[in-house]
Amino acid sequence: MKLGNYDMDKRLAGYAAIIVIGLAAPWLFPGYKAQMTELWLFIVFALAWDHTGGQMGYNSFGNVVFMGVGMYVCALTQVGLFYSIADYTAARGGGTIFIFDVPDFLLGLALGLPAAAIAAAVVAAVLGSAVLGMRGQYFAICTLGLGIAAGEIAAGWEWIGAGSGMTTPNPPDGLGDINRFLYFLSAALAVATFLTLRWIYTTRLALAINAVRDDEDKAEAMGLPTTRIKVMAWTVSAIFLGMAGGLYGNLKKFIDPVDIAFSGATVGVWMVLMAILGGKGTLWGPVIGAVIFQITKEFFWTYLLGWQRVALGLLIVVIVVFFPQGIMGWVRARYPERFGHRVEPAAGAKGEGARP
Amino acid sequence: MKYLLKSSLVAAAALAVAGTGALAQETVTLGAAVSLTGKYTTDGEHTKRGYDLAVDMINKAGGVKVGDKTYQIAVKYYDDESTPATGAALAERLIAQDGVKFLLGPYSSGLTKAIAPVTEKYGVPMVEANGASRSLFTSGYKYLFAVLSTSEQYLSSAMDLAAEKAAALGKKPEEIKVALAFENDPFSQDVRAGVLDDAKRLGMQIVIDDQLPKELNDMAATLTKVRALKPDVLVISGHAKGAATAVRQISEMKVDVPIVAMTHCDSADVVAKFGAAAEYTLCASQWASTLTYKDNLFGSAADFAKLFNTTYNYEPPYQAAESAAAVMVFADAFQRAGTLDPAKVRDALAATDMQTFYGNVKFDETGKNIAKPMVLFQVLKGEYRVVAPTKWAETEAVVPRPMMGN
């Protein structure tokens, strides 16, 4: 894909605009910082899901496992550095009051987020070796089960608070506006995820991942170590999901094992939806999908209160029926030349011949 | 007490002025996310009705006098679907988008636990009436105030009663066997922690320690174990739905246990729903209409019960009473703060020391009410009768309960 100077300039201008808007957003819409932080994290969720779901063709409904593991590990690190976790999570309260000052809080996050990434990656590598031998709907159902099982385990494990859940450390006053703090951390993570995946998609690994999607048997016959590739791809997703989970826990501030950490029915499905809405298997698709999804979701919650779940359900139906290839897929079918596909006049007249 | 009297006089004067001058009054809006759908629907409804009744009474009495202005109170409600994630999102919405500066609590400790960090983050005072778990009060929150007694006190008197009546069961206290069945949520798990402490203190043995299923609609598995192991005391906590399930299945399966104690029987309305099956059940309660507390808004506890009954056609469970009290605590703090600045109202709340029809309210530095004890009911001839503590006991508890026969 070769770009002319003019296209390159336009692209750079586009990135610059996004960065400027992203930096200014907390001051432009001060009342919506929490929702915008959530949006950045949703972008990470969608991108990470698409890495295996879209690029590799392995539809996982269990990626919440990595998010939840990251959330717990980050919170446990943040607390465990300074207090006994069993006291902190005790249903009876610890008898003491748990206070975190600014250095405590920052150190907790600085160590908690990498720990979350590592833990999620380990879980992905172990689980992946076990379940990535399955294909198609078997894999999808199996991952669905993983999400539910993880929630049940967390809800029964007293050390981490069991069904009582766990609160993340109360941010100290000295930190200033905690929402703004988390907003920029989340934005940075989203940008880092985007750039990393953008780079990965230029490497041979991406070709191998796509080969698995397009014809796994053929890929294997050509000598690709498919299982290893699949585990590697899932682990990469898990790293980002784990860190995003750590931040998501601090954003929500209360980790309920089933409802927030291993929330297969909400975030677990949403990350799939966002990727599909934007366009599976494209770099920008998950980003666009997350933006549209979050805006619509908040819009429904504001103006259709009481019917928000119904509206969301209808949205899902509309997405699947009218945009089976997602927005990016739809745009690509219309304007194939913008995606570097050469279009022969006869074939391209109706926007066909641009199948990805 | 004195300033309450004074403020109600002032309120009456304000009413008179408003009556003659027909002044357009300003409104102070409290926000609340309560469970109108989901597993806590019943208790969520009691909570909302308690809030509504108190708001109504205060407005009828002329509103709240803050500085030299009088305000009407309004409540903006959202449905939290009984899930913590939604509750937290709605609190965020109430504060950041709707501009609400004061929050009333949701129903249940779990929801309160999810919402408290949000109110704390924005410096928005929250007076809550339905989050009793002690784990709420360990984060050093400065904007959280709870008018109710904490969870570990709920069934303490039931356990003491079991020890006292051990002789009637033909046993020594340390021979008493206890079975536990609790919901896996912050409130019930803290009740459980309290019961475990009590059992240890009294030297009793725990023979069953089960979790109720998430949806709280079937505890047959636990009851089968109970039948096999024959404990002397069966303790259950799972909010209104858990209480209803327990009473229904204990009688359906004819499980005979000498002492059955639980939380939330009155909010589940087990007497009206299950009649004789509810008989002799011991119930923990934050409040009873026979208590002798009074205030100038509702009058006595009995007056509140009467008013509630004529308004909603059922006896008020304590969830409604404590919720009404939360609104009164806010109104009182507004008046004393003399401003609607959240930080000043927060300080006024921290200095609260008042009596309401629901009980005394005085907060410790973590924000929990330390001025009010729990009571224990027993269902006797279809009525909730106070059997403990001794100070308010209307009658002697019937222990052991008569066998149903298999």
Side-chain angles (χ1 to χ4, degrees), chain B residues 186-202:
Chain B
F187 165 73
S188 304
Q189 287 302 308
D190 190 21
V191 177
R192 172 175 171 271
V195 170
L196 289 180
D197 287 346
D198 292 329
K200 206 167 154 195
R201 172 170 56 87
L202 300 165

Side-chain angles (χ1 to χ4, degrees), chain A residues 10-20 194-195 198 283-284:
Chain A
K10 254 198 345 197
R11 183 161 288 202
L12 281 177
Y15 280 126
I18 291 172
I19 288 173
V20 169
F194 180 87
L195 293 178
R198 186 165 171 265
L283 181 60
W284 277 101

Side-chain angles (χ1 to χ4, degrees), chain A residues 31 98 155 163 179 259 302 309, chain B residues 78 81 85 93 97 121 138 184:
Chain A
F98 302 94
N179 269 359
D259 189 34
T302 309
R309 300 265 171 203
Chain B
Y78 283 124
E81 303 167 345
R93 170 182 303 278
Q97 274 113 63
K121 177 173 77 183
T138 58
N184 194 7

